[in-house]
């Protein structure tokens, strides 16, 4: 029996835990300072990615660059939502929904190179949850908890499949 804790599973599990902690924390502390917490959590999540995903391997380089772009754009937008000029389109009240949508898009793009079935499923789940929390007034109140469950759940779902050999 192959060992369970492969490098991809370590990456997925780390991000699942990072998201769970971050979104629950954000639910209870919705202030500009939460972005600094997320910045630290993001660095924690990126460490195993940089350790595992060699820039020398074209497929891994594409995946790593995709996530650097997605997470970088999201972090800039998150900081900007608290009053930076040009970010009036994104309210801090909608950040959980926004992140679910961009993570869903990231998952769908990632499916081009890695375990398509699980990334597509996770991407669709996040997109549906993001649109629902953006448009259903009752869900806006709980969007960060929805993001905790769906975002972390999508990461943990990736641990089910081993990925390409």
């Amino acid at each position: 029996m192959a060992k369970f804790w492969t490098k991809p599973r370590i990456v997925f599990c780390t991000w699942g835990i990072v998201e769970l902690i971050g979104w629950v924390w954000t639910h209870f502390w919705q202030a500009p300072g939460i972005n600094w917490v997320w910045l630290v959590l993001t660095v924690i999540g990126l460490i195993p990615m940089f350790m595992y995903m060699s820039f020398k391997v074209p497929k891994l380089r594409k995946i790593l660059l995709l996530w650097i772009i997605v997470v970088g754009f999201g972090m800039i937008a998150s900081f900007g939502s608290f009053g930076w000029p040009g970010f009036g389109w994104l309210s801090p009240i909608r950040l959980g929904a926004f992140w679910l949508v961009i993570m869903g898009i990231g998952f769908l793009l990632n499916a081009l190179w890695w375990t398509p079935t699980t990334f597509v499923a996770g991407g669709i789940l996040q997109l549906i949850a993001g649109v629902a929390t953006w448009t259903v007034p009752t869900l806006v109140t709980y969007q960060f908890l929805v993001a905790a469950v769906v975002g972390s759940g999508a990461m943990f779902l990736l641990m089910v499949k081993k990925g390409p050999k």
Side-chain angles (χ1 to χ4, degrees):
M1 183 170 145
K3 69 178 188 170
F4 179 79
W5 288 106
T6 60
K7 290 177 182 179
R9 285 190 175 127
I10 292 168
V11 171
F12 302 147
C13 185
T14 301
W15 274 111
I17 292 168
V18 160
E19 284 194 48
L20 185 62
I21 291 169
W23 289 123
V24 171
W25 198 336
T26 304
H27 178 75
F28 293 105
W29 186 40
Q30 296 173 25
I34 195 64
N35 285 315
W36 295 104
V37 172
W38 272 107
L39 188 59
V40 170
L41 290 171
T42 298
V43 168
I44 292 168
L46 287 172
I47 289 170
M49 289 181 77
F50 283 116
M51 289 172 53
Y52 167 62
M53 303 177 89
S54 170
F55 248 59
K56 294 176 184 175
V57 179
K59 182 189 318 188
L60 296 179
R61 181 175 54 245
K62 290 174 187 174
I63 293 170
L64 187 55
L65 287 173
L66 167 69
W67 288 108
I68 289 170
I69 291 167
V70 169
V71 172
F73 170 71
M75 290 301 296
I76 290 168
S78 292
F79 275 95
S81 72
F82 285 97
W84 289 2
F87 283 91
W89 59 272
L90 181 61
S91 164
I93 296 170
R94 299 272 196 255
L95 279 177
F98 166 77
W99 271 99
L100 282 167
V101 168
I102 67 168
M103 293 298 289
I105 292 168
F107 264 58
L108 293 175
L109 291 172
N110 199 133
L112 297 171
W113 305 294
W114 188 273
T115 60
T117 306
T118 50
F119 270 103
V120 169
I124 290 170
L125 286 172
Q126 289 179 96
L127 284 172
I128 291 169
V131 170
T133 56
W134 193 287
T135 58
V136 178
T138 306
L139 290 178
V140 171
T141 305
Y142 302 103
Q143 69 176 311
F144 300 116
L145 295 178
V146 170
V149 171
V150 176
S152 296
M155 293 308 301
F156 295 135
L157 175 67
L158 295 174
M159 294 175 64
V160 173
K161 197 164 185 179
K162 188 173 182 179
K165 296 197 186 283

